[in-house]
Every structure is written in structure tokens, then in C-alpha cells.
Amino acid sequence: MGKAIASMTGFARAEGEYAGTTWSWELKSVNGKNLDARCRVPNGFEVLDAKVRSALAKIFKRGNFHINLVIDNKHKQLQLQVNEDILQQVIPLATRIGNDLDAVAPSIDGILNLRGVLELVEEEESQDEADKRLGLIEASLNDAIEAMQSMRNEEGARLGEIASGQLDDIERLQKEAAKLAATQPAAIQDRFNKQLAELLSDTSSVSEERLAQEIAVLVTKADIREELDRLAAHVAAARELLENGGPCGRRLDFLCQEFNREANTLCSKSSDVALTTIGIELKATIEQLREQIQNVE
């Protein structure tokens, strides 16, 4: 038994907190021909963009990823701080105006209440603390990626079960078509003889050898045994891919194209209503399989 197949659809979220800073990662993935990541991080955390892409590439092979990091500093410790530059401008102005107007000198609380004199600022963070916070944010990213991988694997297991059932249906229809195909040459010959008899009546001028050649050509053109053999081979190949697992979506998609090619040829060669019905049902089942395969990594 190989690796499990994985879906390209998934969602994951991881949160963290350190020294009053909280953050959350959100990862979403949908179908994609290749691996593509669109990452949004707050200003000052651009260094994480490359780390996100590198971490994704180590685990995933295909899918369009949308990654969003939200950071909240509302709960960080704030401190009151005097803006010395503004204060050094306010004091001389207040003194001069007080002298000019012979007014009472401004009080300390009055000065402090002036806009811009007092400021709320975040407590300065050491480089060690900043590095530790960044490391914890990266660890949360890894948690989100692991959760995404787990969800894609679970969805992949469900896709595998559905695809396996649809392959069973294709195999069943292939066997039913094979039974009908065994009677098709005789039916073609009989129908040809009847039509020819109606055309020629009792004045036949066509040799038996020529008739045999024409019948042989018709039978050869209507022979669907090769298509049925290839269908059986494609079913076996698809089952092997599902069994081995891993990133097999592209190869399964190619097999679906081959399935459809054989089903189309079967319908075009069919001279029997029952066989045509099987061919149409085959095409419908193959389309259902293809829809599932589109989600496989």
C-alpha cells in the first residue's frame, strides 16, 4: 500500500499569543494545475512570505493556496510618555502668553492635558523578544500546514473511495459491452444479408466472394474488442494509481481522457441499441469520475 491520495481542497487555522500580541493564520486551498501561493502578511512581517512558500513546497505539489496572517497588538502593555519636543515648545509659549496677557501661569495638569504632550506608546521590545515572537508565529504556521495536510488527506481518502466505486461501474459496463460485442459480427452479417437481398431480389449479380469481402470490412470496422481491452487496461492502471497514492491527479486525469476516447469510439462503432446505451452510460460514469479526479493532488 502506497501513500494516501490527497485532495487539493482544504482549510486550516492556527492561533498563537506572546507578550500581549495575538495572531492567527488562515490557509485555504483549491484546485490548481501547479502549486501557487498568495500570501498576505502585515507590514513588518514580509520576511514570513518566503518562509510560507518554502514550507508549502516541502509538503504539497499542487493547489492554489490563499494564506492570511492577522496580528493584533491591542493587548500589549502601553506606557504614558511625555513628548519632550512638544513640551519644550509649549512651556516658552505659555510663559510668553502669560506675561503678555498678565494671566495666571498654566498649571502642570493643564499643560499635560494639551494634545500631543502625553502619548500612549508600546513598551519597547528587545530583539530577543521580537525573535522569539517571530519564531512562535512560524511554529503556528507549521501547525496550520499540518492541519491542512491532514484535512486534504481525509478528503483524498473520500475521493479515493468514490473513484474506486466509479471504476467498478466502468469495469461492469465494459464486461456487459464485451458480452454484446461477441454477438455483433453475426448480427452485422445477418442484417447485411437481409438488406442486400431486398436490393437485389432474385437478380443478384454480385459474387459471393465480393459479398464476403464487404461483410469482412463492415465487421472489422465495427469490431470493438480493442477498445474494450484498452478500457480494461485503463481501469487496472487507475486502480494501481489509487493504490500507490501520492500526487497522482495528473495521471488519473490523463486516464480519464483515454477512458472517454474509448467510450466515444465504442458508441461510434456500435450497431446495436443495447451496446450504444452501454456506451452512453460509460461516458456518463467517466465524466463523474473525471469530476472527482479534478480534486486529486
Side-chain angles (χ1 to χ4, degrees), residues 50-81:
K51 294 181 181 294
V52 167
R53 298 176 188 277
S54 175
L56 291 174
K58 289 178 181 178
I59 297 178
F60 306 109
K61 301 302 180 185
R62 295 175 65 201
N64 288 326
F65 285 82
H66 297 267
I67 303 97
N68 189 38
L69 171 63
V70 177
I71 294 180
D72 186 355
N73 292 320
K74 291 180 181 177
H75 302 293
K76 289 196 69 172
Q77 187 69 36
L78 298 178
Q79 292 181 333
L80 275 175
Q81 177 177 293

Side-chain angles (χ1 to χ4, degrees), residues 12-14 23-28 38-42 52 65-71 141:
R13 179 181 176 88
W23 60 85
S24 64
W25 288 98
E26 279 195 0
L27 278 65
K28 299 177 183 178
R38 299 181 182 181
C39 187
R40 293 177 57 190
V41 297
V52 167
F65 285 82
H66 297 267
I67 303 97
N68 189 38
L69 171 63
V70 177
I71 294 180
L141 168 64

Side-chain angles (χ1 to χ4, degrees), residues 139-158:
S140 293
L141 168 64
N142 293 330
D143 291 341
I145 290 176
E146 288 181 7
M148 171 69 81
Q149 184 182 25
S150 177
M151 183 176 184
R152 283 170 51 128
N153 286 342
E154 290 175 4
E155 178 64 19
R158 288 191 287 270

Side-chain angles (χ1 to χ4, degrees), residues 103-115:
V104 177
S107 62
I108 294 178
D109 60 339
I111 292 176
L112 293 179
N113 280 327
L114 291 174
R115 179 180 297 180

Side-chain angles (χ1 to χ4, degrees), residues 15 23 34 39 48 54 60 68 84 86 102 109 130 152 175 179 200 213 256:
E15 300 176 342
W23 60 85
N34 301 297
C39 187
L48 291 171
S54 175
F60 306 109
N68 189 38
E84 294 292 343
I86 293 181
D102 193 22
D109 60 339
R152 283 170 51 128
K175 290 180 178 179
K179 292 178 182 178
L200 300 179
Q213 291 174 350
C256 281

Side-chain angles (χ1 to χ4, degrees), residues 180-181 184-185 188 191 217-228 230 261-273 275-276 279:
L180 289 174
Q184 186 157 283
I188 292 173
R191 185 165 59 254
V217 170
L218 287 174
V219 169
T220 300
K221 288 183 178 180
D223 189 358
I224 60 171
R225 285 175 295 182
E226 287 187 12
E227 286 75 18
L228 294 175
R230 284 194 289 267
R261 191 193 314 277
E262 308 305 339
N264 284 333
T265 305
L266 186 150
C267 287
S268 66
K269 286 187 173 183
S270 173
S271 61
D272 182 88
V273 174
L275 189 57
T276 301

